[in-house]
Amino acid sequence: MARRRSGGITIKSRRDLNMMIEAGQIVAHAKANMAAAAAPGIETRELDAIAENTIRKLGAVPSFKGYNPGMSMRYAFPATICASLNDEIVHGIPSRRKLKEGDILSVDCGAFYGGVHGDSAFSIGIGKISEDRQRLMDATKESLDRGIAKVRAGARIGDISNAIQRYAEGLGYYLVKQYVGHGIGYDMHEEPQVPNYGKAGNGPLIRKGMGLAIEPMLNIGTAETKVLEDGWTVSTADGSLSAHFEDTVIVTDRGPVITTRLA
Ligand code: MG
Ligand code: MG
């Protein structure tokens, strides 16, 4: 789930840092189980059930279900995952909608465990996928990796933002600016905001013990977004395709530790 645009909290103890890793690994298992099931004919609510079952079986609670950021949202988010298809960027609500050959599916998922959160997203091609769609997804994943590579104590949030922006825009893609990454830990959305654009050397200081959810959203045709009638789903304003990757990272002496990829 991405924070809407509107100092940062650091994790207080080694125990809580370990819990961040545990929470992230639970999300990683949920992602793997959904990726294995994502195929033509599967309904997005079936993927939601897979994620919820995985998270609860591992002793955690879905972070998104019942989440209500206030602001203008009419109702709390009703599911464990966000399932966004093709021109949908983030926050799609799982439903009876079936995946089709050639779709780009973007899944976002969070788990709360031991008092802390993990938050992660991935895009995946359904069945046989066109080259331009695969390129968009690969570029989004690579831009996330380039952002993560800038995470170290003493660096600035803008270093992450700039690495993502330079790479994505260098390939001709548009970055979503309306929704951003975020600090994460005891709450799913904490300070600082982690935009996917910005100047190197600018922005909040990255400190040891911080949790950061970095989440580039790349579009083919425009940076502009619109919210659909359900009040949650965000799509590209022009109907062009979008992809989303996100990982939760903690800042340690030995560099970034990615909690939400299978160890
Ligand atoms: Mg997320
Ligand atoms: Mg997030």
Side-chain angles (χ1 to χ4, degrees):
M1 192 164 279
R3 183 188 171 118
R4 196 163 202 287
R5 255 185 92 174
S6 62
I9 290 174
T10 55
I11 309 302
K12 291 190 193 81
S13 67
R14 175 165 294 276
R15 179 261 178 205
D16 291 348
L17 282 173
N18 287 334
M19 287 300 152
M20 288 288 290
I21 293 170
E22 296 286 325
Q25 288 299 294
I26 291 168
V27 175
H29 282 288
K31 288 194 300 178
N33 290 344
M34 287 188 284
I42 296 286
E43 298 175 356
T44 55
R45 65 176 183 163
E46 295 180 79
L47 298 178
D48 185 67
I50 289 169
E52 180 163 7
N53 290 340
T54 303
I55 288 168
R56 294 197 190 277
K57 203 177 289 175
L58 294 172
V61 173
S63 297
F64 299 177
K65 204 167 193 175
Y67 177 74
N68 193 338
M71 298 182 289
S72 57
M73 305 316 295
R74 296 193 301 266
Y75 57 98
F77 194 77
T80 293
I81 66 167
C82 302
S84 309
L85 283 173
N86 300 319
D87 61 316
E88 296 168 0
I89 302 165
V90 286
H91 305 169
I93 298 174
S95 69
R96 290 191 162 83
R97 193 158 56 149
K98 285 188 168 70
L99 302 179
K100 295 192 305 291
E101 181 96 19
D103 278 344
I104 294 177
L105 168 70
S106 297
V107 173
D108 198 342
C109 183
F112 182 65
Y113 181 80
V116 293
H117 291 271
D119 182 9
S120 182
F122 67 100
S123 292
I124 187 172
I126 303 305
K128 196 167 156 43
I129 195 93
S130 68
E131 253 176 60
D132 59 324
R133 289 174 181 232
Q134 190 61 53
R135 266 201 303 273
L136 170 67
M137 290 188 284
D138 292 346
T140 308
K141 171 70 163 43
E142 178 66 21
S143 70
L144 170 60
D145 287 343
R146 289 182 182 226
I148 291 172
K150 296 294 181 183
V151 172
R152 63 173 179 81
R156 297 276 174 177
I157 293 294
D159 299 335
I160 301 170
S161 307
N162 185 256
I164 292 169
Q165 181 177 23
R166 279 213 327 239
Y167 180 74
E169 291 185 351
L171 292 174
Y173 294 114
Y174 295 85
L175 280 160
V176 172
K177 296 188 166 69
Q178 194 83 32
Y179 300 86
V180 296
H182 48 92
I184 181 168
Y186 305 106
D187 287 303
M188 183 165 62
H189 291 148
E190 295 181 355
E191 293 301 316
Q193 294 189 9
V194 185
N196 295 306
Y197 58 93
K199 288 199 177 74
N202 271 22
L205 191 63
I206 299 172
R207 298 195 307 273
K208 182 183 161 185
M210 267 185 170
L212 296 172
I214 304 172
E215 49 179 315
M217 292 150 257
L218 270 60
N219 302 342
I220 284 185
T222 179
E224 298 305 313
T225 66
K226 64 181 180 195
V227 178
L228 304 190
E229 273 176 16
D230 64 23
W232 274 103
T233 310
V234 179
S235 75
T236 58
D238 64 352
S240 67
L241 296 166
S242 185
H244 180 208
F245 279 85
E246 173 182 30
D247 277 301
T248 294
V249 173
I250 46 183
V251 184
T252 75
D253 285 333
R254 286 162 293 147
V257 171
I258 303 171
T259 69
T260 44
R261 294 185 193 174
L262 283 179

